[in-house]
Amino acid sequence: QAKTAGRDTLQFYSPNMHTAMQERVQLEAQMRTSLEQGHFELFYQPQVHARKVIGCEALLRWRHPERGLVSPALFIPLAEDSGQILALGNWVLHTACAQLAAWSKVPLLAGLSIAINVSPRQFHQPDFVQRVLGAVAQTGADPRYLELELTESLLLQDVEDTIDKMLQLKRHGIAFSLDDFGTGYSSLAYLKRLPLDQLKIDQGFVRDVLTDANDAAIARTVVALGTSLGLSVIAEGVETAAQRDFLQGYGCNTWQGYFFSRPLPAAELADWVVQFNAAA
Ligand code: C2E
Ligand code: MG
Ligand code: MG
Ligand code: MG
């Protein structure tokens, strides 16, 4: 939570608290209208394993009529607070599943997975499982290529219910990834209980992995931990070949980051994948 409520959010706080409040209220109202008017979009960032694209992460974008492209780091916390995240999260789910179904019909794109970020409030809805399965059924997406990214704080709330929901979805082939791993408070014993498939090394550790011995030690520990628990490990925020190679030296062979590509609109992502795989 500290991360999402961090630096970026401050842009919305003017010295005048009253103005800041008004701005929040205004943005919340605009979010609602924007959802109705189709001003939200999903971008997709490739995930690469060894020399192949294996899938992508769906990242939400808000094309604000006046502000331009607004970062999810700014509006997701607001949406969480106001409850709008439920409508927004549902839209993301349906849009990503529809994309998955569309790509499955294109030979060069079939088999790509899509990972969706799920926020705590969305996941803890009583009918979350039905919503996900409903989106899959309505769009014709193959659930075996759908991944859900959860955060440690989400997993720590109501563990029994969380595990139950995960197991129900896993029965349909849906995979689970633990996002921003290393920034939260999961204990090892606890991690072992969760039916996860993947750990994502937080980009905060990847950034200075070459120069900061502590970050390097954490990255190496996450890889060792994931491997010993039988999970795959992906590093996010990989910006240079040197970072990729360094992580590879630790046994991490799956990466995501600007070094490969920034998040792209769906059509551009499709072109990028075809080119990348052709070059490999
Ligand atoms: P996240 O899930 O950890 O996503 C990774 C973030 O890192 C994305 O920021 C991505 O654009 C950025 N990133 C990727 N590669 C690099 C890199 O090489 N360097 C740097 N500096 N950054 C990189 P983005 O798209 O702004 O999203 C921020 C956060 O907003 C996400 O963090 C996620 O927590 C949340 N978010 C995004 N889309 C959704 C959504 O559909 N639903 C929910 N609930 N949350 C979302
Ligand atoms: Mg994520
Ligand atoms: Mg992350
Ligand atoms: Mg995150």
Side-chain angles (χ1 to χ4, degrees):
Q1 293 313 102
K3 197 182 118 191
T4 41
R7 223 181 335 154
D8 293 338
T9 322
L10 291 176
Q11 290 175 13
F12 277 138
Y13 293 135
S14 75
N16 183 327
M17 279 304 282
H18 182 64
T19 315
M21 272 300 293
Q22 281 180 328
E23 193 168 30
R24 261 181 89 94
V25 171
Q26 193 195 21
L27 275 169
E28 278 169 14
Q30 287 172 338
M31 233 186 279
R32 194 163 323 210
T33 322
S34 282
L35 192 56
E36 285 162 10
Q37 297 181 342
H39 294 162
F40 284 96
E41 285 172 40
L42 283 183
F43 276 32
Y44 298 88
Q45 186 178 36
Q47 300 179 325
V48 175
H49 176 74
R51 302 196 54 79
K52 270 209 157 301
V53 190
I54 52 166
C56 57
E57 178 176 6
L59 292 157
L60 191 55
R61 297 291 179 261
W62 182 5
R63 259 186 221 288
H64 190 281
E66 295 123 43
R67 293 169 190 260
L69 218 53
V70 180
S71 162
L74 293 170
F75 65 82
I76 294 282
L78 267 180
E80 271 274 327
D81 287 350
S82 67
Q84 291 245 50
I85 194 69
L86 300 182
L88 212 49
N90 228 20
W91 180 84
V92 169
L93 194 57
H94 277 265
T95 306
C97 284
Q99 192 57 255
L100 199 53
W103 282 341
S104 75
K105 299 191 180 77
V106 183
L108 289 168
L109 302 173
L112 287 184
S113 59
I114 295 185
I116 301 174
N117 293 283
V118 178
S119 74
R121 201 157 163 176
Q122 185 186 2
F123 185 87
H124 291 297
Q125 291 173 102
D127 61 350
F128 179 71
V129 170
Q130 288 79 351
R131 282 179 186 276
V132 174
L133 297 178
V136 163
Q138 273 180 40
T139 56
D142 184 340
R144 291 171 305 170
Y145 298 104
L146 184 61
E147 287 173 21
L148 301 180
E149 294 195 0
L150 311 179
T151 55
E152 287 174 84
S153 61
L154 177 157
L155 293 169
L156 287 168
Q157 299 166 22
D158 200 347
V159 183
E160 294 311 322
D161 176 62
T162 299
I163 293 175
D164 181 60
K165 283 186 169 128
M166 289 172 78
L167 289 176
Q168 287 187 55
L169 290 167
K170 280 177 74 79
R171 248 177 259 136
H172 295 264
I174 294 170
F176 286 91
S177 192
L178 184 44
D179 204 355
D180 306 333
F181 186 66
T183 59
Y185 309 95
S186 309
S187 73
L188 288 185
Y190 168 71
L191 201 59
K192 212 185 82 185
R193 287 186 60 205
L194 294 167
L196 289 164
D197 300 282
Q198 185 180 62
L199 300 179
K200 283 192 102 169
I201 307 175
D202 187 68
Q203 54 181 282
F205 305 116
V206 173
R207 191 175 305 123
D208 298 323
V209 82
L210 294 169
T211 52
D212 185 323
N214 292 324
D215 288 348
I218 290 169
R220 185 163 61 170
T221 306
V222 174
V223 177
L225 176 65
T227 308
S228 65
L229 291 174
L231 309 177
S232 67
V233 178
I234 180 170
E236 65 180 8
V238 176
E239 294 188 356
T240 66
Q243 288 171 338
R244 178 201 58 190
D245 295 345
F246 189 88
L247 290 158
Q248 191 162 32
Y250 285 165
C252 174
N253 302 311
T254 312
W255 317 281
Q256 177 182 345
Y258 296 168
F259 172 66
F260 300 97
S261 169
R262 294 191 170 252
L264 299 169
E268 286 177 43
L269 187 278
D271 291 344
W272 189 92
V273 169
V274 170
Q275 281 188 23
F276 186 89
N277 284 340

